[in-house]
Structures are given as C-alpha cells and as structure tokens.
Amino acid sequence: MSKKIPIIHSTAVVAESRLFRIEALEIEFSGGQFRQYERLARNASMGAVLVVPMLDSHTVLLVREYAAGLHRYELGLPKGKIDAGEDSLAAANRELKEEVGFGANRLSHLHTVSLAPAYLEHTIDIILAQDLYPEKLLGDEPEELEVVPWNIYQIDQLLATGECSEARSIAALYMAAEYLRKC
Amino acid sequence: MSKKIPIIHSTAVVAESRLFRIEALEIEFSGGQFRQYERLARNASMGAVLVVPMLDSHTVLLVREYAAGLHRYELGLPKGKIDAGEDSLAAANRELKEEVGFGANRLSHLHTVSLAPAYLEHTIDIILAQDLYPEKLLGDEPEELEVVPWNIYQIDQLLATGECSEARSIAALYMAAEYLRKC
C-alpha cells in the first residue's frame, strides 16, 4: 500500500539552460517533516525510446556511441527522443533506421523505466524490435555509429568488457532476454 | 575496438544550483564534425551506492520511498551518497542500516553503472549485501521508509506492480539474481 503522497508547497526554477531546467521544491511529508528538494526537468521533451533490435532469435544489435557525460565511448542500445507527432513505436523505428540501418516489422513496448526518480523526471520507453529489414535513414549523429552484434543471453560477458555501463541498456537487455525466453 | 575519442574544445558552466551544475561543451569528432553538448554534473559528489540486501537466499529487501522527480512513491533498492572518508562498501552498509534497519557481514561490489552517460556524469556502485543482522542507524530521511521483502527471482511480477520503474534498481536486481544463481 502506498503512503499518502507528500505535498509540494512551492516550485521555483532556480537554473535553466538550453536543454535543462532545475527546479527547487518545498515538500511536506505526511508525518509533518519539511524538506527542500531539487529536481531536473528536460526542456521541451516529449519522452524518449530505447530500442532492443533483434537480428535473429538471440542476436541483439548494439551501438558504440560517444557519451559526453562520461567522455568515452559506450556500448549500448540505440536510443533517442520522441519527435513531435510520433508515438514511441514510430520513434523507435526511426531511431533504429538512423542509428543501426534497419527497420522493424514488429515493435513491442516492454516497459517504461525511469533514470533516477528521486531527482529526474525523465523516463524512457523500452521497445523490442523484431523482424528487421535493411533501411537507412540519415539522422543527426555527428559520426556514423559502429554496430556491434551481441548474443543477448551473454549479458555477463558484455558487462565484463567494461564498455557497457548504462543501467537503462542493462535493464532493457535483461528484460528482453527474459521476454524472449518465454516466447 | 574503440574509436578515437572526440576532443572537448571548451567547457563552460551555463547554469548552477545547490546540487547541480550544467556545462556546455564544444566537441569535435574525429571525422571533423563539431557539436554543442550539454552535460549535467553533481556538485560536491563523491559517488553513490545502490544496495541489494539479501535477507536469505532468495529474499531481497526493497524500500518504498518518495521520488520527487516523478512525484510518487517508488519501490526499489536502498541507495545513497558516499560520504567523505567512506568507500563504497562502508557507504552501502551505512545506508542499509539507515534505510532498512540491517547491517551486513558480507558486502560485494557487483558492477558500477551509469544513468544516462550521454549527458550525466553520475555513476553508482551496485553492492550485494549478504549475511544480514539487525542494526538501525538514524539517517536524514524525512520519514521512515517502508521495507518490502521480495523474491529476487520474481522480477517480472515486481515490474508488473507498476511501482518499480528505476532502471538502476531493475538492472541491479537482474545482475544480483544472475550472480546468486551461479553461487
């Protein structure tokens, strides 16, 4: 059973950039305690998608992409923002074409995950893409992404490379592997 | 093989709050493309830990905690910041005592994950806690956290509750379950 949700008494934008907005919240918990919180919102965001593209029953297509937050290349799942007028399945198919060079005849929503719900409002839809066909769309990537096929049932070995750290990609791979095992 | 890492030509703080700092980066990719990126850093952070506390061979102890980013209660793993003078194992044991009311005789580092490496520099150490004993420390939580025992081999059912969305917790549960299966 959920507790009574705390009351947000005030919200103020304390800092803002092109992409982000930091809000300060004054929050009262049901027991009477007050706290100052900060949370981060993304400006003009319509959500995002993370795609699990299956080339065959066990081969997932990963991409190696520069990650500015860590200033290194990261091996993970293709992803991107949902554009205006798109639903998450259409966005997943477009990102797949742009980043991996495939479209999918079958797209399934597996789950929606959050990143750090304590201070981020961001969520991302995890979309399983199956029955792929070659199709390349030009995206806004600053360089061609390297596509790396991987056995989805060998997630341990992927983690051991030290190149895959993103919790969203790791969670999505485990979820997809469990889903596929049951199919 | 990794590509040649892009060059960061300039870094400027474009917005800052009590907890966060937003940086604008000018980045040159090895192919000659330039891009403006924004990344978010956490002020005065020494890292964070996420704890997977095992009460017995299959029971993990989850906590139900208010998540301001989503303004709802979230069911997930206990976590917190590493304090000055602590390593991640000591931080995990302290957070476990504060949030769950147990200490652990056995603490193992499973993996370090990132949240959104494209624009966040945050990472979190995942610590498996075993051989628990009751010990309560007073933390800075605004209210007592509800502790919810869960079968770690029933992650599907946990996701189906709709209360557990955090990718880090989901990834950590799958990783711990896989690790424990092999023990």
Side-chain angles (χ1 to χ4, degrees), chain A residues 116-137:
Chain A
Y119 59 88
L120 294 177
E121 62 163 30
H122 305 54
T123 59
I124 195 161
D125 297 327
I126 297 174
I127 310 294
L128 181 68
Q130 293 170 286
D131 196 357
L132 305 186
Y133 56 89
E135 184 177 337
K136 181 72 186 165
L137 273 184

Side-chain angles (χ1 to χ4, degrees), chain A residues 1-8 14-22 25 27 29-31 33-40 42 64 66-74 79 111-123 140-146 153 155-156 159-160 162-168 170-171 174-175 178 181-182, chain B residues 1-8 14-22 25 27 29-31 33-40 42 64 66-74 79 111-123 140-146 153 155-156 159-160 162-168 170-171 174-175 178 181-182:
Chain A
M1 206 197 63
S2 292
K3 285 181 197 154
K4 196 169 159 228
I5 197 88
I7 299 160
I8 300 176
V14 290
E16 195 162 14
S17 71
R18 185 170 57 93
L19 296 182
F20 301 107
R21 189 173 72 245
I22 301 169
L25 310 176
I27 292 177
F29 286 79
S30 60
Q33 291 268 329
F34 279 81
R35 284 288 190 286
Q36 298 278 353
Y37 275 64
E38 283 191 3
R39 77 175 170 200
L40 185 84
R42 236 183 144 153
R64 185 173 275 123
Y66 173 66
L70 301 179
H71 187 45
R72 50 166 248 194
Y73 278 90
E74 176 80 14
K79 58 185 169 298
H111 202 63
T112 297
V113 299
S114 59
L115 277 76
Y119 59 88
L120 294 177
E121 62 163 30
H122 305 54
T123 59
D140 58 355
E141 277 68 35
E143 63 183 358
E144 196 69 26
L145 301 189
E146 187 186 348
Y153 299 110
I155 302 174
D156 259 18
L159 299 180
E163 277 198 276
C164 176
S165 73
E166 191 172 22
R168 296 182 292 184
I170 299 168
Y174 277 116
M175 276 188 253
E178 189 152 312
R181 253 189 217 106
K182 289 177 184 165
Chain B
M1 208 198 63
S2 293
K3 286 180 197 157
K4 194 167 162 231
I5 196 88
I7 299 160
I8 300 178
V14 290
E16 194 162 14
S17 72
R18 186 170 56 93
L19 296 182
F20 302 107
R21 191 174 70 247
I22 300 169
L25 309 176
I27 292 176
F29 286 80
S30 60
Q33 290 269 327
F34 279 81
R35 284 290 189 285
Q36 298 280 351
Y37 274 63
E38 283 192 3
R39 76 176 171 202
L40 185 85
R42 239 184 141 154
R64 186 174 273 124
Y66 174 66
L70 301 179
H71 187 48
R72 52 166 247 194
Y73 278 92
E74 175 81 14
K79 59 186 167 297
H111 202 64
T112 297
V113 299
S114 58
L115 277 76
Y119 59 89
L120 295 176
E121 62 163 29
H122 305 55
T123 59
D140 58 355
E141 277 68 35
E143 62 184 0
E144 195 68 27
L145 302 189
E146 187 186 348
Y153 299 111
I155 302 174
D156 258 17
L159 299 181
E163 278 198 276
C164 175
S165 73
E166 191 173 19
R168 296 181 291 183
I170 298 168
Y174 277 116
M175 276 188 250
E178 189 150 314
R181 252 189 218 109
K182 291 178 182 166

